[in-house]
Amino acid sequence: MNDDSDHSLDPLAPRVDETSEGLQELEPVQETPAAELAVEMGGSLRLPEGIELDRNDFDFETSEDQTMIINMGPQHPSTHGVLRIMMELEGETVLRSKPVMGYLHTGMEKTAEELTYVQGCTNVTRMDYLSPLSNELVFSLATEALLGVEVPERATWIRMLMCELNRISSHLMWLATNGMDLGATSMMIYGFREREMVLAFFEKTTGLRMNHNYIRVGGVAADLPDGWQEDVALICDTIPGRLYEYDELLTGQPIFRERTEGVGVISAEDAVALSATGPILRASGVAWDLRRSMPYMFYDALDFDVISRTQGDTLARYEVRIDEIRESVKIVRQILEKMPYGDYRAQDKKVTPPPRARIDESMEALIHHFKIFTEGFKVPAGEVYVAVESPRGELGCYMVSDGRSKPYRMHIRGPSFVNLQSLPAMMRGGLMADAVAIISSVDPVMGEVDR
Amino acid sequence: MVQDVTGAAVLYPSRSIYLETVEGLKLDGHEMLSDLCAVDYQAHMDRALPAGVLPERFEVAVVLVSMSRATRARIRVQVPESDPVLDSLFGLYPGVDAMEREAFDLFGIWFDGHPDLTRILMPEDWEGHPLRKDYSIGRVPVQFKSAPGPR
């Protein structure tokens, strides 16, 4: 437990001494205070009040042998970016582990306070770079909730279409990297190949393969391109067949099963207590999907299943993701049928710039356009928390406005950031080699973890 | 209790009953804590608050979710500048660990009872708390250790 006697003296003083490297480092299990062991196991949740923690209560099966503390990362091919994991090993068994992050911290929340709501989407889209459209969506939904702008139906359906396609591409990317982490190198090539189809459609629609800035406050940046139905239908026709091939390649393959089955198990109680969301939570038996449980946009008008498994291991998380691709394809097919005609952005002069053609003929339109892109629009004072289901879990945006055209505070609840907390619980007692599989199964995107 | 535009209940407990309020909500069926973040209201002290709630410089917003009822509750607790200390929710929701560390790191709010309150995003020896409003952008000049100096 931290010594909290000195902080009351001058609470505003920077606590550099308390954040020295000494406190950050992992210590051998014998020298670690009981409270810190409890952190790693979520033990304090289950302890009745007033009971003194005793380090003997923890069933760390330690022999007299000396343990070894090693760092995995931050530069390690299997840590998906710059994640560093400190592990205490006994032989090849991971006794304890602790994720260390912050290597990619770029202060996007601070940056957001300096950008207008029009520019804000370009900032948030770079957080979770594998599902940029979810980020734009949650930012736009939060701003629209404060503004009270009604988004046209077609714009909402386009948003859903793009987000589901993004879920497919994100999960395919996960399948690819997961395959590579486990040594199934061919899976990597296949995953990238199928993802390319989706990215090509994104490029056609938004102009970019990632960091689209496509979903904006009030609607989307542009209507879907001509012939989008054929492109989307082609994706929907191709991907299920390819998924069947992946099933052949991985799901039934003994080596793959050996490396994933029963590895990194997390129980439903632990997952909920550790605030894990997304495939991790669903793989442990809790069918919690914001698209179904707390529907936003028009997800309640669609027919899809919430995929869940009960094993809570790495294989279950793999199965949840691969089945979620199938469900997303199902959703995309329904959106294809239900896509209404209409406007792709709100015709609210406050938030929507005039059409490009008008700028050439009308001085007022030019001024209007200039005003929106330089000053932005003012958002009524207030605060709101909006959450959507990103491919990684609950992606939330807490937005505070003070009535100006820039967010007073914008906080993104990154699902990867929170999900990483479940890593020590999953890795405990496993093999060092399994750690790679487990990190991969959490699917952390470091851009979102560090923001 | 107030409801916001998304239908979530918003509560404004004082610091002294913050922990009890969250505990009450947990017993009431809010199984998961989905978010905790701090806001520095130094430049926006005239924000709308219900009668009886004294605005302070910092505010910590906690979002709880009830999975059985599919509802959210948000707790906004005022934290004064002179004594930015708040009880940690770690004992109730272990998942708050990283979020409280983040609020401590970026705002300098101390969470009493958090077992490992260290910087999480900034370097360990960083001075100051960057998301505070009086921490201006670009105040720290970029320095390169091995740069030979002005040419």
Side-chain angles (χ1 to χ4, degrees):
Chain A
M1 197 65 73
N2 277 311
D3 179 23
D4 55 5
S5 55
D6 59 340
H7 75 260
S8 53
L9 296 175
D10 184 8
L12 271 180
R15 290 171 218 280
V16 179
D17 51 329
E18 279 152 324
T19 60
S20 66
E21 284 198 345
L23 263 178
Q24 277 272 10
E25 293 297 324
L26 205 63
E27 279 166 51
V29 70
Q30 292 86 352
E31 295 164 24
T32 310
E36 205 171 308
L37 292 177
V39 182
E40 287 156 22
M41 305 169 62
S44 57
L45 183 74
R46 290 183 281 275
L47 273 181
E49 262 189 58
I51 290 199
E52 194 72 17
L53 286 169
D54 184 2
R55 57 190 333 288
N56 296 324
D57 292 344
F58 300 100
D59 58 335
F60 283 105
E61 290 162 7
T62 46
S63 66
E64 297 302 305
D65 293 348
Q66 209 170 6
T67 57
M68 178 170 60
I69 291 164
I70 66 151
N71 280 298
M72 191 165 161
Q75 285 291 346
H76 190 282
S78 74
T79 53
H80 292 225
V82 278
L83 171 66
R84 169 177 153 212
I85 295 180
M86 282 193 281
M87 287 191 276
E88 184 178 11
L89 299 177
E90 189 191 15
E92 256 200 287
T93 312
V94 180
L95 293 180
R96 298 180 309 136
S97 58
K98 184 174 178 180
V100 181
M101 45 196 122
Y103 295 95
L104 211 58
H105 180 55
T106 45
M108 280 164 160
E109 288 181 7
K110 185 83 172 173
T111 312
E113 294 171 9
E114 297 297 316
L115 300 176
T116 64
Y117 290 95
V118 182
Q119 297 164 326
C121 283
T122 53
N123 180 37
V124 292
T125 190
R126 280 153 175 81
M127 288 181 176
D128 182 351
Y129 43 79
L130 291 184
S131 67
L133 289 158
S134 312
N135 293 292
E136 296 166 18
L137 176 71
V138 75
F139 180 87
S140 303
L141 287 179
T143 312
E144 282 153 11
L146 286 173
L147 269 174
V149 171
E150 278 287 317
V151 180
E153 266 197 30
R154 184 176 170 88
T156 306
W157 283 98
I158 295 178
R159 286 175 173 190
M160 284 162 70
L161 171 76
M162 298 300 274
C163 284
E164 286 312 313
L165 286 173
N166 208 166
R167 192 182 312 276
I168 295 173
S169 82
S170 172
H171 281 345
L172 283 170
M173 180 72 182
W174 177 81
L175 275 175
T177 50
N178 183 55
M180 192 164 75
D181 287 342
L182 296 176
T185 345
S186 41
M187 185 59 230
M188 185 199 124
I189 309 292
Y190 298 148
F192 272 101
R193 182 185 66 189
E194 265 68 87
R195 176 174 176 258
E196 205 61 27
M197 285 181 68
V198 182
L199 289 194
F201 178 70
F202 282 169
E203 190 176 7
K204 197 172 171 184
T205 310
T206 71
L208 290 165
R209 286 157 52 85
M210 56 196 294
N211 306 336
H212 310 281
N213 188 20
Y214 179 68
I215 297 176
R216 296 183 187 177
V217 179
V220 293
D223 208 346
L224 294 168
D226 290 342
W228 66 273
Q229 288 98 334
E230 287 80 50
D231 292 338
V232 172
L234 185 66
I235 293 173
C236 290
D237 291 341
T238 315
I239 286 185
R242 300 278 167 84
L243 285 177
Y244 177 75
E245 289 174 16
Y246 305 155
D247 261 345
E248 297 272 288
L249 181 70
L250 292 179
T251 318
Q253 190 210 47
I255 303 172
F256 181 79
R257 290 191 81 94
E258 195 89 332
R259 288 215 55 191
T260 52
E261 220 166 358
V263 166
V265 178
I266 186 163
S267 70
E269 293 78 41
D270 284 355
V272 171
L274 292 168
S275 301
T277 45
I280 298 179
L281 184 62
R282 289 195 285 276
S284 68
V286 185
W288 177 258
D289 187 325
L290 291 180
R291 291 177 294 168
R292 169 60 51 80
S293 316
M294 302 173 84
Y296 52 97
M297 300 203 285
F298 296 130
Y299 277 113
D300 43 359
L302 295 174
D303 171 39
F304 66 98
D305 294 331
V306 175
I307 307 295
S308 69
R309 292 285 185 279
T310 50
Q311 297 90 329
D313 58 359
T314 305
L315 184 68
R317 291 189 279 276
Y318 159 82
E319 285 174 349
V320 165
R321 289 203 177 91
I322 207 160
D323 281 350
E324 274 185 13
I325 301 180
R326 292 196 175 96
E327 289 307 312
S328 286
V329 169
K330 213 162 105 186
I331 294 175
V332 169
R333 280 193 201 279
Q334 293 174 53
I335 295 175
L336 206 53
E337 281 169 25
K338 294 191 178 183
M339 179 70 74
Y341 290 99
D343 218 339
Y344 62 91
R345 57 182 180 180
Q347 284 309 327
D348 183 333
K349 290 213 162 47
K350 195 176 159 193
V351 298
T352 316
R356 179 67 189 83
R358 288 280 298 144
I359 296 172
D360 297 337
E361 48 195 47
S362 155
M363 189 63 190
E364 283 69 37
L366 183 63
I367 295 171
H368 182 203
H369 184 273
F370 183 73
K371 279 273 208 186
I372 282 185
F373 282 101
T374 51
E375 278 179 6
F377 44 82
K378 290 188 166 60
V379 171
E383 44 97 56
V384 74
Y385 179 85
V386 172
V388 301
E389 185 79 22
S390 98
R392 269 154 280 282
E394 176 179 329
L395 176 67
C397 180
Y398 183 67
M399 181 91 83
V400 181
S401 170
D402 61 346
R404 292 183 309 133
S405 58
K406 293 170 181 172
Y408 185 78
R409 166 105 167 95
M410 193 225 36
H411 170 77
I412 291 279
R413 184 248 194 232
S416 315
F417 176 70
V418 183
N419 285 353
L420 272 183
Q421 295 183 98
S422 53
L423 212 49
M426 291 181 200
M427 296 221 282
R428 208 169 73 85
L431 290 179
M432 166 86 181
D434 291 341
V436 175
I438 296 167
I439 296 166
S440 170
S441 77
V442 173
D443 191 15
V445 172
M446 297 316 285
E448 180 185 68
V449 173
D450 297 337
R451 296 184 299 278
Chain B
M1 202 189 298
V2 197
Q3 283 207 329
D4 76 348
V5 283
T6 59
V10 188
L11 288 89
Y12 297 85
S14 70
R15 247 197 322 171
S16 49
I17 59 161
Y18 166 64
L19 205 58
E20 294 163 36
T21 311
V22 178
E23 197 169 3
L25 284 169
K26 183 176 177 176
L27 293 173
D28 190 39
H30 290 82
E31 298 94 344
M32 193 193 268
L33 179 141
S34 62
D35 190 28
L36 180 143
C37 75
V39 186
D40 179 1
Y41 276 108
Q42 195 191 36
H44 184 38
M45 289 300 276
D46 53 347
R47 62 193 183 274
L49 285 173
V53 180
L54 198 68
E56 297 281 1
R57 177 173 170 185
F58 296 109
E59 203 177 280
V60 171
V62 183
V63 180
L64 301 178
V65 57
S66 166
M67 301 169 93
S68 41
R69 285 188 307 241
T71 53
R72 286 182 195 278
R74 188 158 68 245
I75 294 130
R76 291 174 64 183
V77 56
Q78 308 293 320
V79 182
E81 179 179 3
S82 55
D83 180 32
V85 181
L86 198 61
D87 289 322
S88 170
L89 299 181
F90 185 82
L92 295 167
Y93 298 98
V96 84
D97 177 19
M99 306 172 203
E100 285 186 347
R101 279 178 71 190
E102 188 192 348
F104 160 72
D105 187 358
L106 303 176
F107 287 92
I109 293 170
W110 189 264
F111 291 92
D112 242 347
H114 189 288
D116 181 31
L117 203 61
T118 47
R119 287 193 184 269
I120 187 165
L121 295 178
M122 303 300 289
E124 288 107 46
D125 54 354
W126 193 264
E127 284 189 27
H129 302 285
L131 270 180
R132 287 189 173 189
K133 285 287 170 181
D134 51 6
Y135 191 100
S136 64
I137 289 178
R139 205 175 62 180
V140 182
V142 178
Q143 286 180 349
F144 299 100
K145 274 184 191 153
S146 55
R151 264 174 272 194

